[in-house]
Amino acid sequence: AQTVTQSQPEMSVQEAETVTLSCTYDTSESNYYLFWYKQPPSRQMILVIRQEAYKQQNATENRFSVNFQKAAKSFSLKISDSQLGDTAMYFCAFMTPSGTYKYIFGTGTRLKVLA
Amino acid sequence: GAVVSQHPSRVICKSGTSVKIECRSLDFQATTMFWYRQFPKQSLMLMATSNEGSKATYEQGVEKDKFLINHASLTLSTLTVTSAHPEDSSFYICSARGTDYEQYFGPGTRLTVT
């Protein structure tokens, strides 16, 4: 069975600094998708970034980028120029495009951006 | 695009009553929808997968007779919490799967059972 591990329950970063959130996963599948979701205090789940396993290039979305290491089964999220609005829970998720397409979520990292 | 709504956003009900939560995909058709439960400061726990026109698939440990799911159309799935008790109080989130495999999440429903 697939598992997703986020080893950092809480992190903090100064505004304008860079922070990296870690995520590791375990799977025997070769084709899968990885996601980072942000859940602010409103509790609306917001997609931050997605990565297809078959793509070697790391995904980027403005200030957000990932370091996808397929062999190491690692999928970390880097937030550059952190802003107060980045304060939220961040969840890493894994999905295989077959069967039910359900997500396996990590336990989350609570990020606080300090002014 | 890819907007999912949930109704109601908050509901308070008395112990022993039933409550229905609706999940709608507003601008796309979703053959598959998912229902999650989230306790404070915890991750999302998948309760069930809902496929249009067929019975829902429940995760292990989820009581199917307590959490009734109906997915009668390509844009609507409902979760009914039957004979609710205080321990059913939680935050319930639905999502709908788009054609690109990604799940689009509703804003959630806070259920309080008194």
Side-chain angles (χ1 to χ4, degrees):
Chain A
Q2 291 92 353
T3 59
V4 176
T5 301
Q6 292 181 250
S7 59
Q8 304 152 315
E10 293 187 359
M11 294 189 74
S12 62
V13 63
Q14 288 294 137
E15 198 175 6
E17 297 294 307
T18 296
V19 64
T20 299
L21 280 57
S22 67
C23 173
T24 59
Y25 58 95
D26 189 24
T27 185
S28 58
E29 302 285 341
S30 58
N31 185 26
Y32 51 87
Y33 291 73
L34 294 161
F35 306 86
W36 277 100
Y37 280 88
K38 170 185 178 181
Q39 188 181 44
S42 68
R43 302 187 80 167
Q44 171 73 60
M45 294 286 283
I46 301 166
L47 177 67
V48 175
I49 203 163
R50 63 182 268 172
Q51 174 82 43
E52 292 86 346
Y54 63 85
K55 290 185 177 180
Q56 293 186 338
Q57 188 172 7
N58 289 326
T60 62
E61 284 290 342
N62 300 315
R63 298 182 296 107
F64 300 89
S65 61
V66 297
N67 183 3
F68 174 47
Q69 301 289 326
K70 191 172 184 179
K73 296 180 182 174
S74 172
F75 182 61
S76 61
L77 174 70
K78 185 171 83 171
I79 306 174
S80 303
D81 186 25
S82 297
Q83 301 175 359
L84 296 177
D86 296 333
T87 293
M89 280 289 289
Y90 287 82
F91 294 102
C92 178
F94 170 98
M95 184 270 287
T96 53
S98 63
T100 62
Y101 298 86
K102 63 183 182 182
Y103 284 5
I104 308 298
F105 280 100
T107 51
T109 296
R110 182 173 302 278
L111 176 67
K112 187 170 185 178
V113 180
L114 306 171
Chain B
V3 179
V4 175
S5 70
Q6 266 184 256
H7 179 79
S9 58
R10 292 173 179 263
V11 58
I12 301 173
C13 69
K14 292 188 182 297
S15 186
T17 63
S18 296
V19 61
K20 180 184 287 187
I21 303 169
E22 293 186 347
C23 177
R24 293 181 184 274
S25 56
L26 299 185
D27 50 3
F28 67 105
Q29 293 184 329
T31 55
T32 305
M33 291 184 173
F34 303 86
W35 287 96
Y36 296 88
R37 184 172 181 177
Q38 186 180 33
F39 291 104
K41 298 187 178 181
Q42 293 189 23
S43 187
L44 282 69
M45 181 191 78
L46 180 65
M47 299 175 66
T49 302
S50 165
N51 290 300
E52 186 265 337
S54 62
K55 290 184 178 180
T57 302
Y58 291 82
E59 295 297 304
Q60 192 172 7
V62 177
E63 299 176 62
K64 60 180 68 176
D65 294 331
K66 180 167 200 52
F67 299 101
L68 300 179
I69 292 172
N70 183 276
H71 193 159
S73 78
L74 288 172
T75 59
L76 174 64
S77 177
T78 60
L79 168 68
T80 301
V81 183
T82 63
S83 186
H85 291 286
E87 57 265 30
D88 298 323
S89 298
S90 191
F91 193 70
Y92 293 87
I93 303 174
C94 74
S95 70
R97 180 171 68 86
T99 55
D100 57 353
Y101 309 133
E102 184 176 324
Q103 289 184 29
Y104 299 91
F105 290 84
T109 297
R110 183 179 303 279
L111 169 64
T112 303
V113 184
T114 62

